[in-house]
Structures are given as structure tokens and as C-alpha cells.
Amino acid sequence: MRKDYKVLIGGEWVEAAGGRRIEVINPANGEKVGSAPECGAEEVDKAVSAAVEAFPAWASKTMGERSKILLKISQGIMAHQEELAKLETAEQGSPIRKTMNFDVPLCAEQFEYFAGVARALTGETLPVGPWCLSCTVREPLGVVGLITPWNFPALMVVWKLGAALVTGNTCIVKPPSVAPLTTLKLGEIVMEAGVPAGVVNILTGPGESVGEALVKHPKVAKIGFTGDTATGKRIMRLASDTVKQVGLELGGKNAFIVMADADVDSAVEGAVFGAFFNTGQVCAAASRFYIHESLYDAFAEKFVAASKKLRCGDTMDMGTVIGPLAYEAHRDKVEGYIRGAKEAGATLLLGGERPDTPETRNGFFVLPTIFGGCTNDMTFMREEIFGPVVGLARFSTPEEAVALANDSNYGLSASIWTKDVRAGLAMAGQIKAGTVWINEHLIIFCETPWGGCKQSGWGKDLSTMVLDEYTTTKHIYVDLTGVPEKPWYAILK
Ligand code: NDP
């Protein structure tokens, strides 16, 4: 059923000035799913004013009071599990099997996690001397702008919103134009849970207007962003005028290293998951495979055989595991990388084309695609594809594997597959990435920090570290001597 939402400003659901709307298309079949208002700078000003006004009361609540509201949001999410899952599947194309069993329950769990962990947030007392009390307190930043991508429309909002809210900030969320509806539904759940008016505002509309107006706004203290590295660079530049904090979770080009002693069957299972989960539209997707020459052929054969079995089709069918790319232009971009890989001389081992079935014909599907015989100088081995396309290359020594993995502008994640965990740990220490998995790829928990280095960005989502991202540390000094003259005043006497 079609969903036509309004945007949330100051606790009211309203249309954008001028009444313009964004149409949302189901990438699995091209059908119209619904629409959202196309906001502009006017709505950004209104939302910022509402968030500024709501801030003092929200920041003065106890951590316990805010935590309890987060727990209600968590319960509200599970109460609407099916509706949220169907909406996300319809607007983003991720199969219902994943949105029902993974995205929505994880969103609820994230709110639970933030509700609990924030209550352990502490300051410090600093042992300067017996004549004073010197301590730090943690305070919210103020109004924060949260700009989110389309690959996990609900989860990427929750990662940032949960942490920002519980620590006492007021928020303006700018979801992706390709898939804004799940975020607006989450807004309804947030309001039902008792979040006061103005504490959470949601504005839909183009990144170039709504997103940039938020980034430039002098009353927005921080931008939490997940998305493309090019957009992240622009946000950094624009944010500098107001010396705004930015948290950037950007692209990745993640290495998957299979050592000579690896358990090939485990590595193949991990490879299929790492490469094709969410149709490869994951910043941490396994993308560059470096396989020891002694087991390259065995690995390639088994990886191709296992990937061939992945079922691509009707995204509302619980048996489907591979959905379409999220929108037509993105499908075209992914196909461009496939053409580029062929032109560069890589050997096509699997896929490389659209499926041709009645369920997929009208959607933006591309089959899981594996290239062999790749080298790091091929463009598709260097740029983020964000689709179900991977390349396999050979190496002969651990040093070479590390050098290949580090030969990238990105530094988000990598995995090493080996039975020798000691050797794996030594390699992990040499790889420049925010996360290195050993005998696993793409597993992320609430408790584990997430964020990269190099052009994958900075700052952390998740874990207790995200609490630092949405608070500032204030130092407070109290004189306990009660005497007017201090030894250090002598310097002016
Ligand atoms: P973008 O970075 O353009 O979009 C992410 C978010 O930023 C969206 O909400 C978008 O709004 C907004 N945005 C866009 N431009 C600006 C701007 N100038 N100022 C402020 N906000 C802005 O990514 P795309 O959706 O265009 O995807 C492009 C590529 O980025 C993908 O093919 C993929 O390679 C990569 N990507 C990486 C992600 C990751 O997690 N690492 C996530 C998503 C994409 P709007 O939707 O209205 O444009």
C-alpha cells in the first residue's frame, strides 16, 4: 500500500513550502511506493529553531529519564516490526528475509544498548592538588544534524539517533532521498514513545539543499554523516566555516585475505556473506580478495559454486536473499564497473549480467559477479563499487598480502583467514583499517566501535566510544582554599 508522509518539525507533521514531493520507487519492480516532502532551506531553519528551543529541557532530563524513553522506542520498533520491514524492503529493495530478521530487530536492540550504556557515562576527578576540586563533566553538544545513506535506511539512522538522543542532544535527521520512508515511520514511533516536540525533527529533500543547509547552519553543533567519500569531503569543507564538528563514516574497499593455511570452506562461507550481503551495498563489503597462490584455484571454484546458489528474485518472498541495487542510476554505475573490469582484462568467473526472470525483469538487479586474475591497478579494484561485484587476486607471502591490502585510499575494514591466529594478529597490526576481522568478515555488534581511517573517515559509531562523539567534555575547577592570595598571583606582583 502506498505511503505518503509529511515531515516532522517541532512535533508537528507538516508539508514542505510549495508542496513539492519526492516519489519513492521500489527498485525490485519499478512501482511507486509512496512519497515524502521535498524540503528546502526554509524547513531547515524551522527545524533548527524547534531543536534549539527543545534543547534545554531535553538536556536537563536525567540520563535515566532519557534512557527510559529510548527503551519505549525500542519496544515501539518491535511492535511495528512487520510494517517497518515491509516499508524498507519496498523502498530500498533489501529482501524481507533480511529486513524482518536483521534490520528491524537490530534497530530495537541498538536503542536498548544506548539506553543502558549511556547510564554508565562518567566524568573524572583530576588530582591537581588538595586545594581544589578539578573535575570533568560530559555535556550534550546541542543541535546535531544526522545525514544518513540508503543502504541500511533504518539502521544507519538508529546508530546515530540513539547515541545523540540519549546523551541529551536534539536532532535533525536528513534521510536519503532514494529511501526516506522508513525514517519517517521511525519518526512516528519516536513520537509515540514520548519524545518531546522538537527533540527529533526529520527533513526529507535533496542533500545539495537540505543537507548543505544543515551543514552550514550556525546553530547546528555537529554533523553525523554516513555516505560517499566525495560527499564527506564536501561536508568537511562546508562545516569549516562554522568550525562544526563532523563525524564521517565514508566508503570502503575492503580486503579479504585468505592465507595458505586457511580453512577454505570457512573462508568461502565468509566470502559469500561478506561480498553479497545486502547485494554488496555495504561500506564494509568484502571487495578485494587476496588469495594465497597455493589455494587460489580451490577457493575460486568453491566461492563461485556457493555464490551461484544465492537466490535472486521477489524481495517480499522469504526465500530471496539477493535483492536489486537500490536505484536505477546505481545499477548503471555498478554495470559500468563490470564493463571496466572486462576491459581491464579480468576474467569473468560468475555473473556479470542482469537476471532474466519474471520477478526481476522490471527491477534493478545485477547477479552476484566474481572476477578472477585481478590486480590492484584495475580501477574496479580501487574504487568503491557498492554492489555485488568482487575481484580475486593472488599473493605469495604475508608481506605481499599486507602491502596489497594497504594499497588503497580507504581504511575501513579487512579480514584475514588463517588457522594461525598469532600470525593473523601480527598481520592485523600492520593493516591500516578501523576493523580487522580474523576468520570472519562483516560482523558488527552494538558493543564494538565502527569507523575507519584514511579516506574512510573518522569518528566512531556504536560501542561506548560513540558517546564521546555526541558529548563534549567540560572541565570545572573549584577553589577550596577560601583565601584571597594564591602563590601563583605573585607572578603579577
Ligand atoms: P551520498 O553520500 O550522496 O548520500 C548520503 C546522504 O548524504 C544522503 O542523505 C544524501 O542526500 C546526502 N547528501 C548528498 N549530498 C550532500 C551534500 N552535498 N551535503 C549534505 N548531504 C548530502 O551517497 P549516494 O546516496 O549518492 O551514493 C553514492 C555512492 O556513495 C554509492 O554508490 C556508494 O559508493 C557510496 N555510499 C557509501 C555508503 C557507506 O556507507 N560508505 C553509504 C551510501 C553510499 P540525498 O539522498 O538527498 O542525495
Side-chain angles (χ1 to χ4, degrees):
M1 206 181 67
R2 211 187 138 84
K3 299 274 182 185
D4 296 292
Y5 282 94
K6 295 179 178 175
V7 288
L8 180 60
I9 302 178
E12 303 287 330
W13 290 95
V14 296
E15 293 290 354
R20 282 215 301 273
R21 300 190 72 81
I22 306 165
E23 278 294 330
V24 180
I25 304 295
N26 184 334
N29 54 26
E31 286 171 9
K32 289 180 178 171
V33 175
S35 69
E38 186 180 320
C39 298
E42 193 179 321
E43 285 76 27
V44 172
D45 275 338
K46 284 184 186 160
V48 173
S49 298
V52 167
E53 199 183 322
F55 176 71
W58 182 246
S60 326
K61 283 193 185 296
T62 65
M63 198 67 91
E65 286 170 321
R66 289 193 297 262
S67 288
K68 287 191 185 94
I69 293 180
L70 261 75
L71 289 175
K72 281 197 189 149
I73 299 175
S74 171
Q75 288 156 8
I77 288 173
M78 286 316 283
H80 292 87
Q81 181 179 12
E82 191 173 339
E83 188 183 352
L84 280 167
K86 283 186 172 164
L87 194 56
E88 182 156 311
T89 292
E91 69 170 348
Q92 197 268 349
S94 200
I96 190 79
R97 177 192 182 95
K98 169 178 159 289
T99 53
M100 270 293 271
N101 299 322
F102 171 81
D103 296 271
V104 179
L106 205 50
C107 284
E109 192 185 327
Q110 304 282 359
F111 271 111
E112 267 176 36
Y113 173 75
F114 291 128
V117 78
R119 299 189 72 168
L121 192 63
T122 57
E124 290 179 313
T125 52
L126 308 163
V128 176
W131 62 87
C132 72
L133 172 67
S134 177
C135 64
T136 59
V137 292
R138 303 282 284 279
E139 296 180 346
L141 301 173
V143 178
V144 297
L146 309 175
I147 303 180
T148 57
W150 45 260
N151 56 336
F152 294 91
L155 203 53
M156 292 300 102
V157 172
V158 171
W159 277 18
K160 297 185 194 309
L161 185 63
L165 266 188
V166 79
T167 45
N169 300 279
T170 53
C171 307
I172 300 165
V173 182
K174 205 309 268 174
S177 298
V178 167
L181 306 181
T182 320
T183 305
L184 292 165
K185 178 67 207 169
L186 275 174
E188 288 180 1
I189 293 168
V190 161
M191 296 311 288
E192 280 164 19
V195 171
V199 169
V200 174
N201 305 273
I202 304 176
L203 298 180
T204 50
E208 293 77 19
S209 50
V210 177
E212 293 202 4
L214 265 179
V215 175
K216 289 190 224 160
H217 205 293
K219 290 186 178 161
V220 173
K222 171 171 181 139
I223 294 292
F225 172 76
T226 297
D228 195 26
T229 294
T231 315
K233 288 178 184 176
R234 177 149 180 83
I235 286 175
M236 268 179 80
R237 279 195 292 271
L238 294 175
S240 69
D241 280 342
T242 47
V243 196
K244 204 178 256 77
Q245 289 186 39
V246 288
L248 301 174
E249 207 274 80
L250 308 177
K253 189 71 191 172
N254 311 285
F256 186 108
I257 301 170
V258 184
M259 301 301 291
D261 67 344
D263 174 341
V264 173
D265 291 331
S266 301
V268 165
E269 290 289 327
V272 173
F273 183 72
F276 301 126
F277 178 66
N278 207 27
T279 317
Q281 299 168 121
V282 185
C283 51
S287 179
R288 301 179 286 144
F289 284 71
Y290 302 114
I291 319 293
H292 190 267
E293 57 194 359
S294 63
L295 39 73
Y296 178 94
D297 291 336
F299 177 88
E301 190 185 324
K302 288 186 174 188
F303 183 28
V304 166
S307 305
K308 211 183 245 174
K309 292 187 193 143
L310 296 172
R311 193 168 137 197
C312 188
D314 177 4
T315 50
M316 289 294 175
D317 181 334
M318 271 291 178
T320 297
V321 296
I322 300 284
L325 277 320
Y327 55 101
E328 190 171 10
H330 185 51
R331 189 266 316 270
D332 296 347
K333 181 179 152 194
V334 169
E335 288 182 333
Y337 280 113
I338 293 174
R339 278 194 302 280
K342 288 177 185 167
E343 283 160 20
T347 310
L348 183 64
L349 303 178
L350 181 72
E353 57 188 2
R354 303 175 188 180
D356 186 20
T357 59
E359 302 85 49
T360 56
R361 213 160 281 152
N362 297 322
F364 312 132
F365 291 84
V366 170
L367 286 168
T369 296
I370 302 174
F371 283 99
C374 304
T375 53
N376 265 15
D377 57 3
M378 295 176 172
T379 304
F380 94 108
M381 288 289 277
R382 307 200 69 78
E383 296 182 1
E384 184 177 45
I385 301 174
F386 227 61
V389 181
V390 303
L392 312 186
R394 295 167 198 262
F395 71 87
S396 50
T397 65
E399 294 73 26
E400 192 191 350
V402 169
L404 285 165
N406 284 338
D407 177 24
S408 171
N409 289 335
Y410 294 108
L412 189 56
S413 72
S415 64
I416 302 160
W417 296 77
T418 176
K419 290 195 188 109
D420 184 347
V421 173
R422 208 160 67 102
L425 279 171
M427 286 175 75
Q430 291 163 16
I431 290 177
K432 297 228 173 309
T435 293
V436 179
W437 294 284
I438 297 178
N439 297 326
E440 192 50 273
H441 195 105
L442 211 54
I443 187 85
I444 301 173
F445 297 95
C446 301
E447 294 83 355
T448 53
W450 185 252
C453 57
K454 299 202 274 185
Q455 293 193 25
S456 293
W458 67 51
K460 296 291 177 193
D461 282 316
L462 301 178
S463 81
T464 54
M465 293 180 80
V466 75
L467 302 175
D468 297 337
E469 301 283 329
Y470 290 99
T471 55
T472 181
T473 299
K474 181 182 281 173
H475 170 229
I476 298 179
Y477 179 96
V478 187
D479 172 58
L480 299 179
T481 62
V483 299
E485 290 282 323
K486 310 284 164 47
W488 45 90
Y489 293 171
I491 205 149
L492 285 184
K493 290 191 176 171

